[in-house]
Amino acid sequence: MSLIVLDTVVGGYGGAPILNGVSMAIDKSDIGVVVGPNGAGKSTTLKAIFGLLKVTGGSILFKGKEIANSLPDRLVPMGLSFVPQEKNVFTSMSVNENLEMGAFTRRDDFSDTLAWVYDMFPPLKDKRRQPAGELSGGQRQMVAMGRALMSKPDLLMLDEPSAGLSPRYVIEIFETIVSVNKAGVGILMVEQNARQALGFASKGFVLASGQNRFTGTGAELLADPDVAKSFLGG
Amino acid sequence: MDELIFFINRVLISGTVLGSIYALGAIGVTLVFGILRFAHFAHGDMMTMGAFTAFVLASAFAAMGFSAPVPIAFIVLPLAMAITALLALGIDKGFYAPLRDRGAKPVTLLIASIGVTLMIQGLIRLIFGSSTRQMYVAGEAKDIFRIDMSWAGGTRPISITEPQVLMFAVTFLAVLALHFFLTRSRLGKAMRAMADNAALAQVSGINTQLVVVVTWVIAGSLACLAGTMLALDVALMPDLAFNIVLPIFAAAIVGGLGHAYGAIVGGFLIAFAETLAVFNWTAVLRPLNTILPEGWALPPNLALVPTEYKLTVAFIILVVTLLVRPTGIFKGAST
Amino acid sequence: MNAVAAPRKEPNPVRRAVLLFAAMFVLVVGLGYVQGTASIGLLLVQAFAYALIALGLNIQWGYGGLFNFAIMGFLMVGGASVVFVSFPVNMSFWNSDGPLLLGRALIAFLIGVALVFAARRADRIGIRGRWKTALTVLAWFVAYIIYRSQIDPAAAYIEANAGFVGGLGLHPVLGWVFGGLLAALIAWWMGRICLGLRTDYLAIATIGISEILRALIKNMDWLTRGTAAVAPLPWPTPIPQDFQANGVPIAESFIYARFGFLALLIAVLAVVFVLVQRAYGGPWGRMMRAIRDNHIAAASMGKNVTGRQIELFVLGSVLMGVGGAILVTFNQIFDPSGYQPINHTFLVWVMVIVGGAGNNWGVLIGALLIYIVWVISDPIAQLLFQGLSGWTSAIGWGAIPEIDSRALQMRVFVLGAVIALALRFAPRGLIPERTGEARR
């Protein structure tokens, strides 16, 4: 049984639906990458899973339970975590406090998770007392991911983790994502750097107009001439 | 020496008293703004409501034959604070939460809070009448401590009243407790997180409803604390705090809306600005008359602003701050 | 899905308005029957004066989305203006040294203005940044000291020798006009400095300025006689005593006089209403609503947003100044200590919210309704209290003390409850603004 299964999900912000039937399935061992043109509903899919907009049709099963329209304070304890694209750190709070906020829903001792996150993102260790707002873009992205990992999720969702980062950091972030996945966390991410991301994706989804267009492994999609022509810029 | 004593009595002590009240009020205003994003105008009347709650409890305790070395109204404070916090939660449930759930703009909530202001004011006067009362129930006396200064050559004592001493103590404790709450506790950090970035707080799984409840509990209980201490120092009247809600807003804005520490600094800043502006400097500088040449004697009144404009000082600071630095004097408001 | 939403079933606004006005008419006639024609005249004059003021707020808030919590301040400015223009000339002031001393204070004031102005231009001679700020603050301080050094003795002299400046003895209607002009000037200055602020900050800033205006008018005894109050002020129409002099019985003289005043007021209101209503439908009103609903888009289309907003703010405030002047003329007394934000600023806000921001007919009915509710909650509360008091005495708890002063507070509670209920259950008011044109 897959970790999360989306079955023809329909949803939007109250007006005309943005998602017109999106389906996907991700396992704990997967890195799923969602690509597609602007306005295809990539970020909207992640937000729909996370209860940030109204799902009006279809179903979302997480660990076999229906979670459509559940709010984050229920989803996070279930093992779901989300890194928004923008404004994804608490700028006035220290790095350490940012990470603690990620563990808000946990009532157990999370010091080992904290140590694990600092191991995953060594640059943060020296800046743990510094306000997150003073960090560079790449380091902020690390804080954001670290925060999301603090709840020990089974599925980590990332909305364009590489947006606005310099190429060096993009590689670093992608490498971290792969190693997070190796540590047993399923990944579902939206990416603009489609070629690069599909390169390490175990599952790829091409969306257009709120619907699935192509689905396959990352390698398959990269090799598909139709995908390459329409969505990967030739 | 007497001049210095006069200065201590008139500026240092009364400025600190006023500053404590402003600071406690402004913390509530600033927290509510930080979490709920609207200017809660009814905060002054929440203070009055808290003071009346303490008064009713104190009268009831006194009627049961209870007495203590400190004013009963002070003893019942924890209970009064709890009741005011509950009332604050009730007001939120009844008037603000439905508007929030509808996605109303902050300005609609601001107008709603004016409605709440009027209702509280009307109710208090309907129930208690408009007379002025003493918070010292059942014939308690307001102690005045006079610190003899003759050892330093002063002829007059430094005088400070019992409620003022208590006020300094509880303000200090409240600020300290708030500091530890915000920096050490899980919920306190969650509050700061939500004030910083409400959307991300929600995404992190922080129970935002719970944070809202905690905010009202803190704002309500601090309002009760401030109102009761103010009423103990002056007297209990229905417009006790409505008159100072603007200086409190001035304090919160000067400190940067949403910043608890800024509110404390802002409170004392506004209070001392008011106190110093109406202070008659001749009283302190009079010894200079002996060395000043003939005809250059200091005028009998050398205050920067006439006393009747005391509150106006706060309004001017408020307006100037809004125009020059609406984010407050400290850097980086996160709005 | 349901992208093409079914048209919302809204009651026909015109029929609704007609019904509401008919109900209002019945209410007023009924009240007149109970309370007497003279007191209904009193109530109507004040209600219509508030309607004029509420139209002013509707221009600002309804048309432009501009927050103004300074209504009380503008009413006071209007009141002080009408005192200055229409109160009889005070010869003991003009024959004293008062004018001379005031002239010197005026010169000191102008010197102060020049100093501040010069300091703000200091960058022209190379003083910049921190130094310029320091210089500006210093200039303000020096200007303040210079002005105080002249105005304080002048004020003390006038208060001691002549009481206060007195008036110019001109026609009250000129006083209304002057009230409007002065309000316009202050509104222009306020708009220049405040309108860039976010809405909630603007609310707080305007209420701060309103309180500053109140403190000034209340404490400038030499100009306004302060808390000692000025009375009696002349009317533009015959006062009851004029009718009595012609042999009209006292009771009827009040009816004639008040309805005479009412006729003049309704004429003023009608002219203003037609102008404001036409402006709303015209290109100017459309532009204003465009700015209100999306000022960024309007600005990107080349509209001077701030300039237009200042226009609205000034226009609305003129009506407030005139309305404040009319109220003071009608009451024949100007008492600065009688002004309170609750009674003046918030009452008008409730009128606009309940009536329907953006719709002048709605605001008109809201003003009349809320003023009547405001006035009659006191006697109704008295009746309630008396009933309650009889009951408490009967069961041995004793009668309720101070019924009068408590009952007076009922209206504050009712006002607050009306705001809260209206925002929750009828946020768009009794007669909502018609926003449908664009869709049809």
Side-chain angles (χ1 to χ4, degrees):
Chain A
M1 188 188 67
S2 292
L3 184 59
I4 189 163
V5 181
L6 277 69
D7 185 14
T8 54
V9 171
V10 177
Y13 292 96
I18 301 167
L19 304 180
N20 298 305
V22 173
S23 301
M24 50 183 70
I26 302 283
D27 276 324
K28 210 171 162 114
S29 58
D30 275 330
I31 295 182
V33 173
V34 185
V35 298
N38 282 333
K42 305 183 300 278
S43 300
T44 315
T45 305
L46 297 195
K47 286 178 184 161
I49 297 172
F50 216 57
L52 299 176
L53 58 83
K54 192 122 187 78
V55 174
T56 51
S59 75
I60 305 174
L61 293 180
F62 182 66
K63 294 182 179 172
K65 290 200 191 83
E66 176 64 51
I67 57 159
N69 295 320
S70 292
L71 287 173
D73 58 346
R74 197 172 85 94
L75 298 175
V76 174
M78 287 177 74
L80 203 56
S81 229
F82 178 50
V83 182
Q85 185 190 344
E86 286 174 320
K87 295 190 177 167
N88 52 18
V89 297
F90 299 108
T91 50
S92 66
M93 301 176 86
S94 71
V95 169
N96 211 51
E97 286 172 332
N98 265 277
L99 298 182
E100 281 177 47
M101 287 301 102
F104 182 85
T105 53
R106 291 178 60 178
R107 305 308 298 250
D108 54 335
D109 180 25
F110 52 78
S111 50
D112 52 336
T113 319
L114 198 62
W116 176 63
V117 168
Y118 279 127
D119 280 346
M120 196 77 73
F121 305 103
L124 298 186
K125 213 161 192 171
D126 305 331
K127 315 225 167 193
R128 57 199 299 161
R129 301 252 161 266
Q130 213 168 317
E134 293 174 4
L135 303 185
S136 72
Q139 287 169 339
R140 280 189 193 213
Q141 193 62 39
M142 292 178 187
V143 174
M145 282 178 63
R147 195 216 85 241
L149 288 172
M150 283 301 291
S151 57
K152 288 222 105 181
D154 297 307
L155 180 69
L156 176 67
M157 300 194 294
L158 302 124
D159 193 355
E160 302 205 10
S162 72
L165 297 187
S166 64
R168 187 173 66 88
Y169 268 121
V170 173
I171 293 168
E172 204 169 309
I173 287 287
F174 285 167
E175 279 170 356
T176 315
I177 290 172
V178 171
S179 60
V180 166
N181 178 246
K182 291 217 173 90
V185 180
I187 305 279
L188 177 59
M189 60 192 268
V190 167
E191 248 317 315
Q192 288 284 1
N193 286 326
R195 278 178 186 283
Q196 238 173 324
L198 287 174
F200 60 82
S202 62
K203 284 190 179 158
F205 307 92
V206 180
L207 298 191
S209 318
Q211 283 175 317
N212 289 62
R213 198 53 63 89
F214 298 96
T215 306
T217 66
E220 281 167 7
L221 291 181
L222 284 173
D224 187 325
D226 286 341
V227 175
K229 198 173 77 192
S230 320
F231 301 107
L232 301 177
Chain B
M1 192 60 211
D2 277 350
E3 285 76 17
L4 183 65
I5 295 171
F6 185 79
F7 186 81
I8 291 174
N9 282 338
R10 279 307 195 66
V11 175
L12 223 52
I13 292 179
S14 50
T16 314
V17 167
L18 199 59
S20 304
I21 299 295
Y22 285 177
L24 290 177
I27 291 171
V29 166
T30 226
L31 288 181
V32 171
F33 185 89
I35 300 297
L36 299 167
R37 299 280 141 191
F38 77 102
H40 185 233
F41 216 79
H43 204 77
D45 291 282
M46 236 172 219
M47 287 165 72
T48 317
M49 188 171 78
F52 272 94
T53 309
F55 172 77
V56 169
L57 288 174
S59 307
F61 272 62
M64 290 189 292
F66 186 82
S67 75
V70 288
I72 302 178
F74 184 74
I75 303 276
V76 298
L77 251 180
L79 191 55
M81 283 163 74
I83 294 175
T84 315
L86 283 178
L87 289 172
L89 281 174
I91 289 172
D92 182 59
K93 270 270 173 298
F95 300 106
Y96 304 141
L99 295 179
R100 264 201 317 273
D101 294 345
R102 197 177 73 201
K105 282 186 251 168
V107 69
T108 310
L109 281 149
L110 169 66
I111 301 174
S113 79
I114 284 166
V116 170
T117 300
L118 301 183
M119 281 193 281
I120 298 177
Q121 281 198 2
L123 272 184
I124 286 177
R125 287 189 171 90
L126 277 172
I127 298 169
F128 297 96
S130 10
S131 55
T132 301
R133 292 155 200 270
Q134 280 306 317
M135 275 301 252
Y136 283 80
V137 290
E140 290 175 304
K142 191 187 274 189
D143 296 327
I144 299 176
F145 308 113
R146 293 190 174 81
I147 304 163
D148 185 36
M149 295 303 285
S150 52
W151 54 271
T155 56
R156 284 186 295 181
I158 290 178
S159 60
I160 183 165
T161 64
E162 180 188 43
Q164 290 172 340
V165 174
L166 291 175
M167 189 187 296
F168 298 157
V170 294
T171 307
F172 181 73
L173 287 177
V175 167
L176 206 65
L178 185 76
H179 169 75
F180 283 117
F181 174 74
L182 287 177
T183 54
R184 301 289 160 86
S185 79
R186 176 171 163 270
L187 266 177
K189 287 179 195 172
M191 254 180 95
R192 279 167 55 215
M194 194 172 158
D196 182 317
N197 187 336
L200 187 62
Q202 197 200 1
V203 163
S204 302
I206 291 174
N207 184 341
T208 49
Q209 299 289 336
L210 180 67
V211 174
V212 169
V213 168
V214 171
T215 307
W216 283 115
V217 167
I218 295 177
S221 44
L222 285 184
C224 174
L225 183 67
T228 309
M229 295 322 286
L230 179 63
L232 275 171
D233 184 35
V234 194
L236 182 63
M237 44 203 167
D239 54 1
L240 177 73
F242 181 67
N243 294 328
I244 59 167
V245 71
L246 276 181
I248 284 174
F249 265 98
I253 287 171
V254 167
L257 271 176
H259 295 245
Y261 303 111
I264 298 164
V265 177
F268 283 97
L269 206 96
I270 299 276
F272 276 100
E274 279 183 16
T275 317
L276 285 172
V278 298
F279 181 67
N280 182 4
W281 291 96
T282 305
V284 171
L285 302 175
R286 194 168 289 127
L288 286 180
N289 276 346
T290 51
I291 50 167
L292 285 173
E294 193 73 19
W296 282 76
L298 293 164
N301 191 348
L302 197 68
L304 192 59
V305 175
T307 320
E308 58 266 31
Y309 290 105
K310 185 176 177 185
L311 277 180
T312 316
V313 174
F315 305 148
I316 290 175
I317 296 177
L318 167 74
V319 174
V320 170
T321 311
L322 279 176
L323 299 179
V324 180
R325 266 196 92 123
T327 51
I329 48 176
F330 301 105
K331 72 166 179 128
S334 54
T335 43
Chain C
M1 304 283 289
N2 52 353
V4 186
R8 286 215 344 255
K9 278 224 159 191
E10 280 188 18
N12 180 350
V14 176
R15 209 176 78 196
R16 190 170 180 173
V18 170
L19 274 175
L20 280 170
F21 273 96
M24 176 60 59
F25 185 75
V26 172
L27 178 65
V28 168
V29 171
L31 273 178
Y33 188 73
V34 176
Q35 299 208 318
T37 316
S39 63
I40 212 68
L42 176 80
L43 184 136
L44 281 179
V45 170
Q46 289 179 330
F48 275 109
Y50 271 104
L52 190 67
I53 296 159
L55 282 180
L57 180 62
N58 193 33
I59 293 181
Q60 295 172 340
W61 172 243
Y63 288 15
L66 300 175
F67 225 82
N68 181 2
F69 266 179
I71 299 171
M72 180 197 73
F74 286 113
L75 299 192
M76 286 188 87
V77 166
S81 308
V82 84
V83 168
F84 181 67
V85 172
S86 74
F87 198 72
V89 176
N90 180 3
M91 287 319 289
S92 62
F93 163 70
W94 293 104
N95 291 335
S96 71
D97 284 342
L100 183 75
L101 287 172
L102 276 188
R104 278 169 44 187
L106 180 67
I107 292 170
F109 179 79
L110 292 177
I111 291 173
V113 169
L115 267 177
V116 172
F117 192 72
R120 294 185 55 169
R121 293 292 181 90
D123 48 325
R124 298 234 175 138
I125 53 166
I127 302 174
R128 286 198 173 80
R130 244 170 231 288
W131 287 106
K132 192 187 149 193
T133 313
L135 192 68
T136 313
V137 172
L138 185 71
W140 272 102
F141 185 73
V142 172
Y144 175 74
I145 299 288
I146 293 177
Y147 175 66
R148 280 283 305 277
S149 73
Q150 294 304 313
I151 193 70
D152 281 3
Y157 175 86
I158 295 168
E159 281 162 30
N161 292 302
F164 80 125
V165 169
L168 298 176
L170 299 172
H171 194 271
V173 171
L174 282 176
W176 301 356
V177 173
F178 184 64
L181 287 177
L182 201 58
L185 197 70
I186 291 171
W188 177 78
W189 169 76
M190 265 172 83
R192 281 281 308 272
I193 61 172
C194 290
L195 283 182
L197 291 172
R198 254 175 39 193
T199 318
D200 40 359
Y201 286 178
L202 178 64
I204 298 167
T206 50
I207 201 166
I209 291 176
S210 173
E211 290 296 321
I212 293 172
L213 284 174
R214 167 159 74 163
L216 286 175
I217 294 177
K218 200 168 161 180
N219 291 309
M220 294 208 302
D221 289 13
W222 59 273
L223 183 62
T224 63
R225 205 143 79 182
T227 46
V230 183
L233 289 160
W235 273 22
T237 52
I239 58 172
Q241 286 78 359
D242 297 337
F243 286 103
Q244 286 160 28
N246 289 327
V248 178
I250 291 181
E252 286 175 25
S253 72
F254 276 94
I255 297 177
Y256 290 151
R258 283 172 182 171
F259 277 88
F261 196 104
L262 184 62
L264 175 67
L265 174 56
I266 287 181
V268 172
L269 186 64
V271 170
V272 168
F273 190 90
V274 168
L275 290 177
V276 168
Q277 186 71 2
R278 285 186 61 154
Y280 180 80
W284 182 81
R286 268 202 300 279
M287 179 169 64
M288 292 306 176
R289 275 172 285 155
I291 291 175
R292 173 192 66 188
D293 295 337
N294 191 341
H295 66 93
I296 295 166
S300 64
M301 273 153 48
K303 308 288 184 207
N304 177 0
V305 171
T306 316
R308 294 288 88 77
Q309 288 184 333
I310 290 176
E311 261 173 45
L312 282 181
F313 201 72
V314 168
L315 270 176
S317 303
V318 167
L319 294 187
M320 292 172 189
V322 172
I326 291 176
L327 276 176
V328 165
T329 300
F330 178 71
N331 294 326
Q332 293 198 291
I333 179 167
F334 179 63
D335 178 11
S337 54
Y339 285 82
Q340 279 164 1
I342 293 178
N343 300 17
H344 295 92
T345 299
F346 301 144
L347 184 62
V348 179
W349 268 93
V350 181
M351 290 169 175
V352 172
I353 292 170
V354 168
N359 186 318
N360 290 317
W361 290 106
V363 168
L364 192 61
I365 197 106
L368 299 180
L369 179 70
I370 294 301
Y371 192 77
I372 290 173
V373 167
W374 170 252
V375 170
I376 64 172
S377 7
D378 176 20
I380 289 179
Q382 286 218 17
L383 284 179
L384 278 178
F385 266 115
Q386 267 150 10
L388 201 63
S389 183
W391 181 71
T392 52
S393 328
I395 62 166
W397 286 3
I400 298 175
E402 304 175 55
I403 285 183
D404 284 1
S405 72
R406 281 167 203 243
L408 196 60
Q409 299 304 327
M410 181 59 119
R411 56 192 201 181
V412 176
F413 176 76
V414 169
L415 199 63
V418 169
I419 301 187
L421 293 177
L423 287 180
R424 185 150 168 203
F425 297 108
R428 297 176 60 217
L430 286 175
I431 310 180
E433 183 182 13
R434 296 175 73 178
T435 48
E437 289 105 327
R439 261 185 286 144
R440 268 176 235 136

